[in-house]
Amino acid sequence: MCYDWGESSEGAVSVLHGEAGSVSCPLFSHPSVYNYTSAQSAGHNLFWYRLLDGHDLEQPITYSLRFSRDRERLWLQPAAANDSGQYICMLR
């Protein structure tokens, strides 16, 4: 079964070029349904994808020195102008 929890209640995230910024996975904004620790204990893994502006197919995030994950947050350190787009998280 698959649930779409919609967009983050935080709305758009703005980060200036060269600064660090993070995006929080909206799945975990419903702690009565999901919390990060119980999801991991149940064998689920969190994956991040990015939908580039003007594209229809999301691309998996490749973790690197600039893109990293800390629990349910995706970090961009430092952010660049071409990092714009929609970021999507999925539990699998």
Side-chain angles (χ1 to χ4, degrees):
M1 186 171 290
C2 183
Y3 295 102
D4 181 355
W5 290 99
E7 294 182 13
S8 172
S9 60
E10 295 176 10
V13 175
S14 295
V15 180
L16 296 176
H17 179 82
E19 291 188 352
S22 69
V23 180
S24 182
C25 181
L27 291 172
F28 302 106
S29 64
H30 304 278
S32 62
V33 179
Y34 288 116
N35 74 54
Y36 184 79
T37 303
S38 64
Q40 287 229 299
S41 297
H44 300 297
N45 291 310
L46 180 64
F47 292 89
W48 282 94
Y49 300 87
R50 180 174 164 214
L51 182 60
L52 296 168
D53 293 333
H55 289 78
D56 295 326
L57 185 63
E58 62 268 358
Q59 299 295 315
I61 298 287
T62 301
Y63 300 115
S64 64
L65 292 174
R66 279 194 346 98
F67 285 91
S68 62
R69 194 184 89 206
D70 180 28
R71 296 182 53 93
E72 70 273 10
R73 288 192 168 277
L74 176 68
W75 284 91
L76 294 84
Q77 302 180 74
N82 63 351
D83 291 334
S84 65
Q86 184 177 8
Y87 289 82
I88 301 162
C89 60
M90 288 185 195
L91 278 177
R92 297 173 88 186

